[in-house]
């Protein structure tokens, strides 16, 4: 009888917000506002493994309709998550992105429409909204028409100028609107940190982000804290450049034509490693040491490291990327 009642409640949830009863997880077990004929609903949250090796990645990127690894953990749930269903909701809205599906494993089906989403899991008509990690469903690269995507000027990738169909290009682009700029990508990084610093004023804008570089930067931050002897040390992190469109990159002095910034797996960062309020060459040297150590421990994140300390720069900074092969240079 309980199962029949649950099925009826779940079928109504597809209709959206009026049927979704959301309460903070801390209140669900208290039972103060849950009907007496319902069983207590377990609290559910994302497992740490869904947030990268660092545990601090707050956004996953996936193409529409693909399977995404999204392990969950719960307190008091039946083994295997029996009885739960899931649905993706647009960030900042109570609008469904897809139908509800049974939660029967650690991989979930991504929505078919590009955007930023949060996961809602439901059991016995009670819904819990999981805000981190969020999901960014990409606009496929193939939808870029020439140098433009939905009116936004991106330019052409090196692979598009050649006849090499296997040339490198991003899988797709996150569609960013102004209200998305402060969404966290990691503990220290936000969406705005990867938006190209060009002069276009059109919205939405489009950004390529490789989560490997997000994970790598967070591991570097953690290593800096360890070396300082303070596990929870707070550092000032400035992102000078994240993703660059090929069009913008072509106007950046000294930038390589196939810069890793084009593919979203690079960031130019300055970190105040000693908390003295200044960005110095010593700070860049400490970052360099931390990157070397992180790559030694996590070879899957190996990549480029450039230390820029010339007097023509206002402050020293480091280029960090996760290209898959070790590169070192100074500028």
């Amino acid at each position: 009888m309980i199962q029949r009642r649950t099925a009826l409640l779940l079928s109504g949830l597809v209709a959206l917000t009026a049927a979704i009863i959301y309460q903070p997880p801390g209140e669900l077990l208290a039972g103060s506002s849950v009907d007496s004929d319902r069983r207590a609903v377990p609290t559910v949250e994302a497992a740490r493994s869904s947030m990268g090796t660092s545990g601090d990645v707050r956004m996953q990127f996936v193409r529409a309709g693909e399977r995404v690894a999204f392990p969950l953990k719960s307190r008091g749930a039946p083994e295997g998550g029996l009885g739960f269903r899931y649905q993706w909701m647009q960030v900042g809205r109570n609008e469904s992105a897809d139908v509800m599906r049974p939660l029967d494993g650690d991989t979930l089906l991504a929505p078919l429409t590009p955007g930023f989403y949060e996961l809602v899991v439901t059991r016995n008509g009670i819904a819990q909204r999981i805000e981190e990690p969020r999901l960014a469903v990409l606009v496929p690269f193939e939808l870029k028409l020439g140098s433009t995507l939905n009116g936004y000027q991106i330019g052409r990738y090196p692979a598009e100028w050649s006849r090499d169909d296997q040339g490198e290009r991003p899988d797709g682009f996150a569609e960013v609107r102004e209200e998305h700029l402060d969404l966290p990508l990691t503990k220290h990084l936000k969406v705005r940190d990867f938006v190209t610093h060009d002069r276009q004023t059109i919205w939405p804008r489009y950004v390529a982000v490789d989560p490997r570089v997000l994970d790598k930067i967070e591991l570097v931050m953690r290593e800096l804290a360890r070396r300082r002897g303070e596990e929870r040390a707070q550092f000032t992190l400035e992102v000078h450049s994240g993703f660059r469109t090929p069009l913008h990159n072509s106007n950046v002095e000294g930038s390589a034509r196939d810069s890793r910034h084009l593919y979203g797996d690079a960031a130019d960062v300055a970190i105040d490693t000693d908390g003295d309020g200044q960005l110095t060459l010593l700070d860049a040297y400490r970052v360099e040491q931390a990157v070397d150590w992180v790559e030694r421990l996590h070879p899957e994140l190996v990549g480029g490291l450039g230390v820029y300390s010339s007097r023509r720069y206002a402050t020293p900074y480091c280029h960090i990327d996760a290209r898959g092969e070790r590169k070192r240079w100074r500028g």
Side-chain angles (χ1 to χ4, degrees), residues 40-196:
V41 176
T43 57
V44 180
E45 60 184 3
R48 181 182 173 86
S49 58
S50 67
M51 301 185 189
T53 303
S54 65
D56 289 324
V57 177
R58 309 291 168 83
M59 187 79 72
Q60 295 197 25
F61 296 82
V62 64
R63 288 171 65 101
E66 286 188 341
R67 285 279 179 179
V68 56
F70 207 104
L72 300 170
K73 62 179 181 179
S74 59
R75 294 197 302 270
E79 184 176 354
L82 183 64
F84 283 98
R85 296 172 70 83
Y86 74 91
Q87 188 174 31
W88 297 101
M89 307 291 284
Q90 295 183 27
V91 169
R93 305 177 185 177
N94 286 326
E95 296 180 13
S96 169
D98 212 342
V99 299
M100 297 194 77
R101 293 185 170 88
L103 182 61
D104 54 9
D106 287 343
T107 60
L108 308 180
L109 197 63
L112 298 176
T113 305
F116 293 96
Y117 297 98
E118 294 167 346
L119 181 67
V120 173
V121 294
T122 305
R123 183 174 177 227
N124 287 0
I126 301 294
Q128 298 177 57
R129 191 159 183 155
I130 299 172
E131 295 184 350
E132 293 181 345
R134 293 182 170 96
L135 191 68
V137 177
L138 305 176
V139 177
F141 183 90
E142 294 77 12
L143 292 185
K144 183 169 76 73
L145 300 177
S147 63
T148 304
L149 178 58
N150 196 21
Y152 181 66
Q153 294 291 329
I154 291 178
R156 293 179 182 270
Y157 279 79
E160 295 181 278
W161 291 106
S162 70
R163 297 180 179 180
D164 182 8
D165 292 336
Q166 303 303 315
E168 187 174 7
R169 64 198 72 192
D171 286 339
F173 304 94
E175 186 174 86
V176 177
R177 302 181 184 278
E178 287 187 89
E179 62 265 28
H180 299 143
L181 291 175
D182 286 323
L183 290 179
L185 294 176
T186 71
K187 180 179 178 180
H188 295 94
L189 300 169
K190 296 181 178 180
V191 168
R192 67 170 65 249
D193 293 322
F194 274 75
V195 173
T196 299

Side-chain angles (χ1 to χ4, degrees), residues 240-276:
H240 293 180
S241 180
F243 169 66
R244 294 181 197 154
T245 65
L247 180 63
H248 177 69
N249 184 72
S250 65
N251 295 315
V252 176
E253 182 181 356
S255 180
R257 180 171 177 265
D258 60 346
S259 167
R260 299 312 307 175
H261 291 278
L262 275 62
Y263 308 100
D265 65 0
D268 294 341
V269 300
I271 305 173
D272 180 9
T273 63
D274 53 16
D276 65 356

Side-chain angles (χ1 to χ4, degrees), residues 51 53-58 185-190 212-224 237 294:
M51 301 185 189
T53 303
S54 65
D56 289 324
V57 177
R58 309 291 168 83
L185 294 176
T186 71
K187 180 179 178 180
H188 295 94
L189 300 169
K190 296 181 178 180
R212 292 179 303 164
V213 76
L214 304 180
D215 215 6
K216 186 173 184 176
I217 290 173
E218 287 301 327
L219 288 167
V220 167
M221 298 292 282
R222 182 174 299 175
E223 177 61 18
L224 289 170
L237 169 66
V294 167

Side-chain angles (χ1 to χ4, degrees), residues 281 284-285 288 305-310 313 318 328-331:
L281 183 57
Y285 174 68
E288 182 179 16
L305 171 64
V307 178
Y308 291 84
S309 57
S310 170
Y313 304 114
C318 294
R328 295 293 185 270
W329 68 92
R330 297 185 181 276

